[in-house]
Amino acid sequence: MINLYILTGAFLMAILLGRIIIPNILIISFRKKLFDLPDFRKVHNRPVPRLGGVTFFPVIVFTFALSLAVKVQFYQFTSRFIISRVICEFLYLIAGLTLLYIIGIADDLTGVRYRKKFLVQIISAALFPVAGMYINNFYGLFGIYAIPAFVGIPLTMLLVVFITNAINLIDGIDGLASGMSIVTLVILGVLFIHYRYWNYATLAFICVGVIIPFFAYNVFGEADKCRKIFMGDTGSLTLGYIISFFVLGYCTHSSGEHAIKEYGSPIVVVFSMLLVPCLDVVRVVLKRARMRKPLFMPDKNHIHHKFLAMGHTPRRALIAIQIMSVFFFAFTFIAIRFFNNTLVFVIDIVAWTLLNVWFNRKLISDEKHDNSDDCSRKSIE
């Protein structure tokens, strides 16, 4: 029961600290004129402070360190193995977060070339295998089970960098990256509670707690009243890296025979939570490669841009994409108990592909309709 009390207290503390810090960041941003300026790619039409993500790292580290210290003091007779393992995994997480926090702030303030950002992300991703956290089993996906370390370690690093950038790139409209992160972290937190991995669960709900006040300012704040803020690369890189940590934690700690039999392959489960941002990145990169455009050059081809082009408001696009993401997870979590892991995985990808084909046809149809209307008006004139 003490674990639940500590988790609840840490969650509430994170909300409180976020609520205290964010208004002060707004004041500093306006005094120093640290804004995200509007351009042709962006939805907002007024300068908005973009340092909301600065809140995440210090609140998460402080609150988790405090909760972990209280827990260790309470369980004075906890075995050294458990304590050392917890300290090892989470200290490497903090080390990687520190690197991304620094590069994120630099990017938000002055801009950083993508090569430097990738280098820092690769270094941060390499810390997880050093802590013993890497994908070493596919749990039957495509008929593959145990994989050797020389395959699992680079695959893990690639996965961490991929997830980190997927969360970063999905941050295109108010509340999308933070909202998807909240949903993913809540699901993972509940699963960790189910498996009684209380340290992971506590950290997951601390992250949810610090995102909640930011989400309120980001989605419901008004730029005219100086109450709106963006998370910037500092926040999106922090969230992406932490989510990748939880993905690895879930895949490596919930891999028992009973867990796999009950909930299916952990890889398929966590993939379904992040299907929308991850496959959206794959789709956009493939399209850029096909059009022979720079792979890392920003454009307006992401899923949220499609919804806006179809006439949805940013709020409606946010809700629709969130519902889509939750649906994929719910389907996978249920279907995986009755069907083969590989079949469910393929169905998810096919369903996503068909949805995008439908979106593209709808956009083409709307464009033709608009053009015909323009021609009709011109002929009348």
Side-chain angles (χ1 to χ4, degrees), residues 93 96-97 99-101 103-104 117-126 128 155-171 177 181 231-248 274 277-278 281 302:
L93 169 67
L97 279 176
L99 293 177
L100 291 176
Y101 186 70
I103 199 71
K117 288 199 288 187
F118 267 122
L119 177 61
V120 173
Q121 289 172 16
I122 291 170
I123 294 172
S124 300
F128 290 149
L155 178 63
T156 297
M157 293 171 59
L158 176 64
L159 181 68
V160 172
V161 173
F162 179 62
I163 293 175
T164 302
N165 282 283
I167 299 298
N168 184 25
L169 294 174
I170 204 70
D171 184 29
S181 297
M231 69 168 67
D233 275 15
T234 310
S236 58
L237 293 176
T238 298
L239 293 181
Y241 188 69
I242 289 179
I243 289 174
S244 68
F245 171 79
F246 287 129
V247 167
L248 294 178
L274 300 168
C278 288
V281 170
H302 288 283

Side-chain angles (χ1 to χ4, degrees), residues 120-326:
V120 173
Q121 289 172 16
I122 291 170
I123 294 172
S124 300
L127 297 176
F128 290 149
V130 174
M133 299 177 67
Y134 64 90
I135 303 296
N136 58 10
N137 199 319
F138 274 19
Y139 311 104
L141 183 63
F142 298 112
I144 303 172
Y145 289 89
I147 57 176
F150 70 84
V151 175
I153 290 176
L155 178 63
T156 297
M157 293 171 59
L158 176 64
L159 181 68
V160 172
V161 173
F162 179 62
I163 293 175
T164 302
N165 282 283
I167 299 298
N168 184 25
L169 294 174
I170 204 70
D171 184 29
I173 57 176
D174 293 342
L176 186 54
S178 55
M180 296 191 77
S181 297
I182 288 175
V183 172
T184 302
L185 290 166
V186 167
I187 293 171
L188 286 167
V190 171
L191 290 172
F192 286 133
I193 290 175
H194 173 74
Y195 289 117
R196 305 190 70 79
Y197 298 129
W198 288 101
N199 293 307
Y200 279 92
T202 301
L203 181 58
F205 280 99
I206 287 172
C207 295
V208 174
V210 74
I211 296 172
I212 287 175
F214 166 80
F215 184 86
Y217 276 90
N218 180 232
V219 176
F220 303 108
E222 298 180 21
D224 294 341
K225 298 180 179 179
C226 304
R227 303 283 290 176
K228 193 176 192 64
I229 196 167
F230 296 154
M231 69 168 67
D233 275 15
T234 310
S236 58
L237 293 176
T238 298
L239 293 181
Y241 188 69
I242 289 179
I243 289 174
S244 68
F245 171 79
F246 287 129
V247 167
L248 294 178
Y250 183 75
C251 290
T252 56
H253 290 296
S254 63
S255 56
E257 183 177 345
H258 173 71
I260 295 174
K261 185 176 180 181
E262 184 179 5
Y263 296 112
S265 169
I267 291 179
V268 178
V269 173
V270 295
F271 169 76
S272 67
M273 301 178 197
L274 300 168
L275 182 146
V276 172
C278 288
L279 290 188
D280 188 57
V281 170
V282 173
R283 180 188 60 80
V284 170
V285 170
L286 290 177
K287 184 172 182 178
R288 291 173 184 172
R290 189 175 71 251
M291 302 294 291
R292 296 183 179 180
K293 294 182 178 180
L295 298 182
F296 305 105
M297 184 68 67
D299 55 26
K300 299 185 71 172
N301 290 316
H302 288 283
I303 183 67
H304 47 275
H305 292 127
K306 285 190 176 186
F307 273 88
L308 296 176
M310 287 188 289
H312 294 278
T313 63
R315 189 73 55 83
R316 287 172 58 189
L318 165 65
I319 295 172
I321 296 171
Q322 292 282 29
I323 291 174
M324 188 191 310
S325 182
V326 171

